[in-house]
């Protein structure tokens, strides 16, 4: 097996990870919205009540070490209302992002937050909480 330059190998592995992580609908979001920085923690999908976007209220949860993010998504035509809860409740901000925009909100003392009028389509959350590394969710279609 030929020797591969370490820089070349790292670049190839980065491209492979990016290619494997893309699912339909996420490619456009990754091109037009900020990606996940190396120092962020990825919150994995823990539960999803309805993978069909727009079919009715949808409950989702994401887990990262030391954090659970629960969401309820309510569709209204081509818009979505997103209500969420952080466990444990941590001071900071939550940004609901979509290609071309986003809204930042502050959870209350109990960890609850909400954002109304989110466009249907790819969405990701970015949580900046209590001086720890930011936590981001994967992109998924709402």
């Amino acid at each position: 097996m030929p020797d591969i330059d370490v820089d070349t190998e790292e670049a190839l592995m980065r491209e492979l990870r990016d290619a494997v992580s893309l699912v339909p609908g996420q490619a456009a979001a990754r091109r037009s919205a900020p990606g996940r920085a190396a120092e962020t923690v990825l919150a994995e999908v823990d539960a999803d009540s309805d993978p069909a976007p727009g079919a009715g209220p949808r409950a989702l949860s994401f887990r990262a070490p030391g954090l659970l993010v629960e969401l309820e998504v309510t569709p209204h035509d081509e818009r979505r209302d997103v209500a969420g809860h952080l466990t444990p409740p941590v001071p900071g901000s939550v940004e609901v992002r979509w290609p071309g925009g986003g809204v930042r909100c502050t959870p209350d003392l109990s960890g609850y937050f909400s954002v109304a009028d989110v466009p249907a389509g790819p969405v990701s959350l970015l949580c900046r909480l209590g001086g720890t590394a930011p936590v981001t969710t994967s992109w998924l279609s709402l």
Side-chain angles (χ1 to χ4, degrees):
M1 180 171 195
D3 288 334
I4 297 177
D5 176 33
V6 173
D7 291 335
T8 303
E9 183 175 336
E10 288 176 7
L12 289 171
M13 290 304 293
R14 201 170 29 253
E15 287 182 37
L16 180 61
R17 278 191 301 273
D18 289 347
V20 169
S21 69
L22 293 178
V23 296
Q26 288 186 331
R30 291 214 180 221
R31 284 192 301 273
S32 61
R36 184 170 66 91
E39 63 276 356
T40 62
V41 175
L42 180 64
E44 301 284 347
V45 175
D46 188 50
D48 187 347
S49 69
D50 182 5
R58 181 176 174 188
L60 296 142
S61 65
F62 299 87
R63 278 197 189 276
L67 182 67
L68 173 65
V69 180
E70 298 172 293
L71 298 178
E72 181 177 285
V73 180
T74 305
H76 301 285
D77 298 319
E78 294 301 311
R79 309 303 273 186
R80 308 289 182 255
D81 291 342
V82 177
H85 183 248
L86 304 175
T87 305
V90 182
S93 68
V94 174
E95 184 178 359
V96 179
R97 306 178 297 170
W98 56 86
V103 173
R104 187 177 296 188
C105 63
T106 302
D108 68 16
L109 295 176
S110 299
Y112 290 96
F113 62 92
S114 65
V115 174
D117 212 28
V118 174
V123 172
S124 173
L125 270 63
L126 177 62
C127 305
R128 293 182 178 95
L129 307 169
T132 62
V135 174
T136 187
T137 67
S138 55
W139 287 89
L140 67 141
S141 190
L142 298 183

